[in-house]
Amino acid sequence: MGKDVYVFGGYNEVTGFINSIERLDAFQVLHNWGADAQWQVIEIPANVLSTRSVSLFAPIGPNQLLILGGQETDGVFLGDGYVFDARQKVVRRCVDTNNFKHSCESN
């Protein structure tokens, strides 16, 4: 995604499972020794995309990232999919199925 690094969802010790998307300008990290680099948190409403961990998160276009499945707080694996538009900072559902449930420990 150009000079940006994106991270989606996961778990933190304060709030538990999360659904935010975070962006880091890698150019600032590499050229300014990280002095000015800060993560930008892009909040996604829970009614648009539920909190989860171990989802697949991968680029599918110049400004789009795919979010597939994951695991909810109760251990249930998810079979949904979303596209995140990095330019507009919006998420839209693209698939919802119980036939394919996915989690990805690393990608």
Side-chain angles (χ1 to χ4, degrees):
M1 302 286 305
K3 63 182 180 59
D4 296 325
V5 174
Y6 288 87
V7 176
F8 167 71
Y11 179 86
N12 75 39
E13 294 179 359
V14 176
T15 61
F17 281 55
I18 58 176
N19 72 336
S20 64
I21 296 172
E22 299 179 33
R23 183 187 71 80
L24 179 66
D25 183 335
F27 183 85
Q28 288 185 0
V29 173
L30 295 172
H31 296 284
N32 298 326
W33 298 97
D36 297 327
Q38 294 184 10
W39 285 96
Q40 174 194 10
V41 177
I42 302 165
E43 297 290 343
I44 306 298
N47 65 335
V48 174
L49 177 61
S50 63
T51 59
R52 61 190 67 208
S53 182
V54 296
S55 297
L56 174 72
F57 189 56
I60 58 170
N63 297 302
Q64 295 179 323
L65 292 151
L66 179 66
I67 303 165
L68 281 180
Q71 189 174 12
E72 292 183 304
T73 56
D74 58 5
V76 172
F77 290 99
L78 300 164
D80 55 357
Y82 298 83
V83 173
F84 170 65
D85 184 315
R87 199 177 279 167
Q88 296 179 1
K89 295 183 178 51
V90 295
V91 172
R92 68 175 171 78
R93 183 179 289 224
C94 63
V95 67
D96 189 8
T97 178
N98 285 324
N99 297 329
F100 174 74
K101 295 189 177 187
H102 178 80
S103 72
C104 186
E105 294 293 328
S106 63
N107 53 43

